[in-house]
Amino acid sequence: MDNLTYIVFIAMTVSLALILPLAEKKLRRLVIFMIVGIFSCLFVSELNNILLDSFHNDVFYVTTTITPVTEEIVKMLPILYFAIVINDDRHILIPNAFALGVGFALLENMVILIQNIETVTILWAFVRGFGSGLVHGICTVMVGWGISYIKKRRKFFFCGTFALLSAAIIYHAIYNLLVQSEYQYVGILLPILTYIPIVYLLRKKGIKPGGVSET
Amino acid sequence: MNQQLKYRRIIAIFLAVLLTAVLIIPTTLSVSAANRLFITELRVEAGEEAVTSLEAEGWSVFMSGLNITSDPASQVYLAYKLNTGSPYTNVIVSPDVGDSFTDENGIVYQCVSHVDVDEGNGGGGCLYATRDQRAGSPLVGLDVLRGNNESNKVLYPITNDGAEIVRTQEGAPADLEKGNGTDVVYLAQIRDGIVRPYIREIGVITDTDKWNAVYTAAERGYNYYVDGDIDDSSETYTIIGYERTADPAEAITNITAVSAKTVQSLEDEQIIDNRTGQAGHLAATAISISGAEYVRISSQPVDGKEPYYIYRTKDTKAGNPISMLYAEKTEQKQNYLFGTWANGYFFSPGVTTAYTYSMNEDLYTTLWGDQTVLTKLPVQLKDSVTSSDTLVDPTEVLTKEKQESTTDNSSEVKPVSTTATSARTQQESTTEIPSETEQESITASSSETEQESITASSSEAEQEISIEIPAEEQSEIASEEPSKEQSETSAADGTDETIRYINLTMLTPRDGLPETTASITGMLGDPSVPYVERTQRSNRVNKFQASVFGTGGVTALIAGSVVMVMAVVAAVLIHKKRAAVTLSEKPGESGKSKATDHKKKSKNLKNSKNSKKYR
């Protein structure tokens, strides 16, 4: 079925959207960012498809050099927008950025699941969950964290934004490259090893999911 | 410099080194990840325990042995290993002349194993292989092609680019079952990075035995053949062999069939030389249809209800380059096997998963997805009516009727008077290999005729041995289905035989094929699995697909663009609203003074932060 991606998208976003009227402001913001992340994934999937066609269906080449760029740009835009237009407080920005990344990973995992339904395994689920889920989350956190700094320093804004984007792209591309190489388990470990210090650091600074600061 | 700042600098340097290492290591890994796996080791073993022992040593073994035998003791197995470096570049079959030999080009071939590849069957020969780059592109695959008439096994056509039959030292295709009757076993090797999407040349090969015809096709340089008998004789087997090219300029753009009777009548026409006024006859080795020159590819007509000749052209006026050919015998006028065939082509045996997808998916998308131009060339078979002589107009299909044409259906070509064409008719006993050189020779032969009794005119155009067929008749020849009138006539004669045809199908991509070289997809197969697995599209596995790809729809893109536009508009509105609020809060201040004040504030803020930071 060609529109299975859209069906999954609708099923997920509608369910999440139903939380919004009942949720508190902070939770609502998280859920909205998740929905934005899911929509970003849908958007970028079609974009990636066009790019894949343009590069002669060379999946390996496209996933290691092209899609990290498109995905990180599309994921960064909502965070950048939120930081510039609404709020650049890092205590709010970082958890929401992570929610966006997780939302993105959710739909990505679902789409890949339905595209490879006959070959997926429990191992696959763990790999996708810990690997891909964390990679997208970490990349957006990286961008959100950075934006909260550079937003306040105008001299750094443009070069800083580009640097953040580049860092996220490189990180993402490294992950994509590793999981498709013979060192795929190194690729799976990479986001886990990055996630642990980030959590430690955020905890130390008192930033918790939901945008609540302990300090 | 205080102590804290020193520590910070040390940490910064450490992090910079770490970051550099993180960036360099994946760069190195990317090389190994992107490298193709090549055939780097080969081994031949005979006997019952060969497979077990080879697999125990980590070899991948072709389960289909190199012999067609029921005796496990005399079976010979080929094993290989894949790796990224030092690949084999050519394999040949040669009598056992020791550990190595040097060919005429100075390339040294090493003996793979001193095991006779035709063990117990009297054929003889060992595999020799070289890693010398002068011998060709690295080998990415091998395949064992077996043909056994008794068990009705099919010798699969090699359809992937870069595939070629392993040959002997003399250059002939090496039949590893040479001493075993009509059975044949060929070894095919597949070279890396070769993409030849277009059909460069075709030829007709007739033999009493199918495998001999295939053998002859391979011997004549055709790496591919259309798997189907295109003649109507039960005694002979006629196949179309073809060769592929990467250059669209070299590609065939159209193929057409012309009845022998039409050809005969064309040849009967007298050509009058402009200068001498002398009349003569020329063989219709080249004809002109709608301004495109078609070259005849067989010297003898193919047997059908109406014997016919096949002509091909490379003129771009005749269409786009042809990518595929298919022939089928059918009782229907329509080609129902199109879909089956398309899949069969792309996922044919002898290709690795990675290799198939990396180069053939482009073709698949272009040819299948884009609704390519499909041309059918139906030829009615002889037994379609019980007595063709009774028909009033038996040659309506594929013929350009001439009022003065002969009444009999004889396929004999009358001798013609020019030296050039006489020379050609001397070759009529065997079918010809059409090639570029042949085409050139036709032109050359027409030039030569200047020195003969019939001297061509000085005009280049007039020198061509071409006979113009009007455009309306070309369409009749090339694409028109056999008319209903024939079957009606047949029914009227009281014959209720089913009508059988040969459909020669050509596929031409509408906008040309993607000009690409083979590339790596990252979907390299597991080396422990023999790469000759019969991969189907549904079996495509990308275990840890790294990115998400959509369905090709644009709804999400449009929706996303709309959301972006709305977000930008909202941002502008918010910005204006905030500006208005700011102005209303400070009504006495001018814009310039506000800006200056803002800059001062931000500068003070930065200074205060910096002073805190370094305190």
Side-chain angles (χ1 to χ4, degrees):
Chain A
M1 196 180 290
D2 283 347
N3 54 4
L4 212 51
T5 310
Y6 287 86
I7 292 168
V8 172
F9 167 75
I10 292 165
M12 288 171 75
T13 49
V14 168
S15 305
L16 284 171
L18 291 175
I19 303 173
L20 296 177
L22 304 171
E24 287 180 5
K25 191 180 177 185
K26 287 158 192 165
L27 177 60
R28 194 186 305 153
R29 203 186 285 139
L30 274 179
V31 173
I32 289 172
F33 265 89
M34 275 188 82
I35 293 173
V36 170
I38 292 170
F39 181 72
S40 302
C41 181
L42 183 73
F43 179 82
V44 93
S45 70
E46 300 297 7
L47 196 62
N48 285 348
N49 203 54
I50 293 169
L51 291 166
L52 186 67
D53 283 346
S54 309
F55 288 91
H56 308 301
N57 293 316
D58 190 340
V59 176
F60 182 78
Y61 178 75
V62 169
T63 53
T64 51
T65 55
I66 310 293
T67 60
V69 180
T70 55
E71 288 179 12
E72 291 311 320
I73 288 174
V74 171
K75 279 192 299 180
M76 193 193 73
L77 288 175
I79 303 167
L80 198 61
Y81 184 84
F82 184 81
I84 292 170
V85 178
I86 299 165
N87 197 331
D88 60 359
D89 183 356
R90 95 174 61 117
H91 296 102
I92 296 171
L93 207 53
I94 290 172
N96 289 328
F98 194 79
L100 188 139
V102 169
F104 188 98
L106 266 179
L107 187 69
E108 185 184 81
N109 286 348
M110 286 303 109
V111 172
I112 294 174
L113 171 73
I114 56 177
Q115 285 175 351
N116 300 276
I117 193 74
E118 289 168 2
T119 55
V120 292
T121 57
I122 295 288
L123 175 69
W124 178 90
F126 276 109
V127 169
R128 294 300 311 179
F130 283 108
S132 164
L134 280 178
V135 161
H136 288 298
I138 287 166
C139 285
T140 47
V141 162
M142 196 190 294
V143 171
W145 203 336
I147 284 173
S148 69
Y149 279 104
I150 59 171
K151 172 72 172 40
K152 293 185 175 66
R153 290 163 177 78
R154 291 199 169 190
K155 280 182 185 173
F156 295 149
F157 185 72
F158 292 105
C159 61
T161 308
F162 182 75
L164 285 170
L165 186 62
S166 304
I169 289 168
I170 291 167
Y171 183 84
H172 192 161
I174 289 170
Y175 169 78
N176 281 4
L177 178 67
L178 286 171
V179 291
Q180 291 182 99
S181 73
E182 54 190 300
Y183 306 98
Q184 50 193 224
Y185 294 103
V186 180
I188 295 157
L189 281 175
L190 179 73
I192 298 169
L193 292 176
T194 322
Y195 179 68
I196 292 165
I198 285 177
V199 171
Y200 174 74
L201 222 64
L202 290 176
R203 287 274 173 188
K204 201 177 172 185
K205 285 183 177 286
I207 299 168
K208 290 174 91 177
V212 181
S213 171
E214 285 178 351
T215 53
Chain B
M1 190 187 293
N2 63 32
Q3 200 70 12
Q4 201 177 4
L5 194 60
K6 198 185 280 180
Y7 286 140
R8 281 184 179 177
R9 288 195 172 176
I10 291 166
I11 291 167
I13 291 167
F14 174 74
L15 287 173
V17 171
L18 196 68
L19 183 66
T20 312
V22 166
L23 290 175
I24 288 171
I25 290 167
T27 313
T28 319
L29 292 182
S30 71
V31 175
S32 67
N35 271 348
R36 292 295 305 266
L37 290 175
F38 304 111
I39 303 269
T40 52
E41 289 179 71
L42 284 170
R43 197 158 150 189
V44 179
E45 289 288 332
E48 283 182 80
E49 302 300 321
V51 175
T52 316
S53 62
L54 283 167
E55 284 184 340
E57 292 173 30
W59 291 85
S60 300
V61 186
F62 285 97
M63 298 311 289
S64 51
L66 303 183
N67 280 338
I68 296 177
T69 175
S70 55
D71 179 16
S74 61
Q75 186 56 277
V76 179
Y77 294 97
L78 175 62
Y80 64 94
K81 280 185 180 174
L82 298 171
N83 214 327
T84 50
S86 192
Y88 279 122
T89 53
N90 197 25
V91 176
I92 63 168
V93 177
S94 167
D96 194 344
V97 290
D99 289 341
S100 66
F101 73 85
T102 307
D103 76 355
E104 56 191 12
N105 299 317
I107 297 169
V108 178
Y109 284 84
Q110 301 289 340
C111 181
V112 169
S113 305
H114 291 285
V115 175
D116 189 347
V117 289
D118 197 13
E119 185 92 8
N121 291 311
C126 293
L127 287 191
Y128 282 81
T130 182
R131 300 177 200 272
D132 195 319
Q133 292 181 358
R134 289 175 293 168
S137 301
L139 302 183
V140 291
L142 290 164
D143 197 5
V144 179
L145 310 172
R146 293 157 61 94
N148 182 354
N149 282 347
E150 287 174 10
S151 58
N152 201 26
K153 283 183 181 174
V154 178
L155 180 65
Y156 289 102
I158 318 164
T159 50
N160 59 310
D161 298 333
E164 57 189 53
I165 300 279
V166 167
R167 293 173 179 252
T168 62
Q169 204 176 341
E170 293 75 34
D175 179 8
L176 307 186
E177 203 68 354
K178 201 173 179 181
N180 200 5
T182 55
D183 294 342
V184 289
V185 175
Y186 291 115
L187 202 59
Q189 56 187 13
I190 302 159
R191 295 189 185 281
D192 184 41
I194 296 173
V195 179
R196 295 177 294 189
Y198 308 108
I199 292 176
R200 184 176 68 81
E201 199 52 85
I202 64 169
V204 173
I205 301 103
T206 302
D207 206 295
T208 51
D209 177 69
K210 177 183 175 179
W211 307 124
N212 282 340
V214 173
Y215 184 94
T216 310
E219 202 173 41
R220 291 184 177 178
Y222 299 119
N223 274 313
Y224 309 86
Y225 70 94
V226 181
D227 194 17
D229 182 9
I230 62 163
D231 73 21
D232 196 39
S233 169
S234 57
E235 294 171 358
T236 58
Y237 202 96
T238 303
I239 59 167
I240 292 179
Y242 62 95
E243 187 50 35
R244 305 185 73 91
T245 178
D247 184 3
E250 287 183 350
I252 289 174
T253 54
N254 200 13
I255 299 167
T256 190
V258 181
S259 79
K261 186 187 274 186
T262 304
V263 172
Q264 184 68 67
S265 64
L266 291 170
E267 288 176 343
D268 285 345
E269 288 178 355
Q270 286 195 332
I271 309 293
I272 300 168
D273 186 81
N274 290 342
R275 283 191 297 179
T276 62
Q278 221 172 346
H281 299 275
L282 290 172
T285 51
I287 60 172
S288 179
I289 300 174
S290 301
E293 190 188 61
Y294 285 70
V295 177
R296 196 165 76 189
I297 64 163
S298 61
S299 57
Q300 285 190 329
V302 180
D303 197 13
K305 173 177 173 287
E306 172 72 14
Y308 63 95
Y309 287 99
I310 293 178
Y311 284 76
R312 67 103 179 105
T313 182
K314 296 187 176 186
D315 200 318
T316 51
K317 287 196 284 287
N320 282 335
I322 291 171
S323 294
M324 295 190 187
L325 271 177
Y326 179 68
E328 62 168 327
K329 274 184 181 173
T330 175
E331 293 174 356
Q332 308 292 337
K333 293 177 191 174
Q334 292 178 346
N335 186 349
Y336 288 110
L337 297 177
F338 172 56
T340 311
W341 160 67
N343 283 305
Y345 177 86
F346 289 109
F347 307 108
S348 62
V351 287
T352 59
T353 309
Y355 206 65
T356 309
Y357 285 108
S358 63
M359 64 183 189
N360 281 343
E361 201 154 281
D362 297 339
L363 293 172
Y364 186 88
T365 308
T366 312
L367 290 167
W368 184 241
D370 296 350
Q371 297 296 309
T372 53
V373 178
L374 181 141
T375 310
K376 283 187 292 180
L377 200 64
V379 177
Q380 199 172 348
L381 294 180
K382 196 184 282 179
D383 61 355
S384 59
V385 284
T386 49
S387 54
S388 59
D389 294 340
T390 60
L391 288 174
V392 177
D393 184 13
T395 57
E396 193 169 314
V397 184
L398 310 171
T399 59
K400 175 183 178 290
E401 288 295 328
K402 290 269 181 179
Q403 294 300 320
E404 66 275 18
S405 62
T406 54
T407 50
D408 64 338
N409 277 346
S410 167
S411 61
E412 285 179 14
V413 179
K414 286 185 179 177
V416 287
S417 59
T418 63
T419 309
T421 50
S422 298
R424 295 187 66 78
T425 51
Q426 282 167 13
Q427 300 169 12
E428 300 278 312
S429 56
T430 55
T431 50
E432 297 168 12
I433 314 171
S435 64
E436 279 302 323
T437 50
E438 185 191 341
Q439 200 174 3
E440 286 162 11
S441 72
I442 291 163
T443 313
S445 64
S446 61
S447 305
E448 282 167 19
T449 56
E450 285 183 27
Q451 297 160 11
E452 304 299 329
S453 56
I454 298 173
T455 312
S457 65
S458 57
S459 163
E460 187 72 25
E462 285 170 350
Q463 283 181 23
E464 285 192 3
I465 311 167
S466 63
I467 300 155
E468 192 72 31
I469 297 178
E472 59 271 20
E473 294 188 15
Q474 185 269 335
S475 61
E476 189 182 308
I477 289 169
S479 60
E480 199 171 279
E481 294 282 347
S483 68
K484 287 179 181 177
E485 290 168 28
Q486 282 192 335
S487 54
E488 284 165 7
T489 315
S490 168
D493 289 344
T495 55
D496 52 357
E497 296 274 330
T498 50
I499 298 175
R500 296 173 64 233
Y501 303 96
I502 294 167
N503 280 347
L504 185 64
T505 307
M506 295 174 278
L507 261 84
T508 309
R510 197 178 293 278
D511 300 315
L513 288 169
E515 301 298 322
T516 177
T517 54
S519 49
I520 303 147
T521 63
M523 292 186 292
L524 295 173
D526 182 354
S528 64
V529 179
Y531 70 96
V532 286
E533 59 186 335
R534 275 51 168 158
T535 312
Q536 295 297 322
R537 189 177 175 77
S538 58
N539 292 345
R540 175 178 177 172
V541 176
N542 189 1
K543 202 173 179 182
F544 299 121
Q545 185 178 318
S547 285
V548 62
F549 296 101
T551 54
V554 290
T555 316
L557 292 175
I558 293 167
S561 306
V562 171
V563 168
M564 277 187 216
V565 171
M566 285 168 65
V568 170
V569 171
V572 171
L573 290 175
I574 290 169
H575 181 72
K576 279 185 179 175
K577 195 177 174 184
R578 280 181 185 167
V581 170
T582 316
L583 278 174
S584 64
E585 280 174 356
K586 297 173 183 175
E589 290 177 3
S590 67
K592 193 178 177 183
S593 63
K594 269 199 303 177
T596 317
D597 193 40
H598 178 75
K599 276 183 182 173
K600 278 180 184 173
K601 275 183 181 176
S602 63
K603 197 174 181 182
N604 289 337
L605 186 72
K606 278 180 197 170
N607 288 337
S608 66
K609 279 181 180 173
N610 286 339
S611 59
K612 278 180 191 172
K613 194 176 173 185
Y614 292 107
R615 199 171 288 160

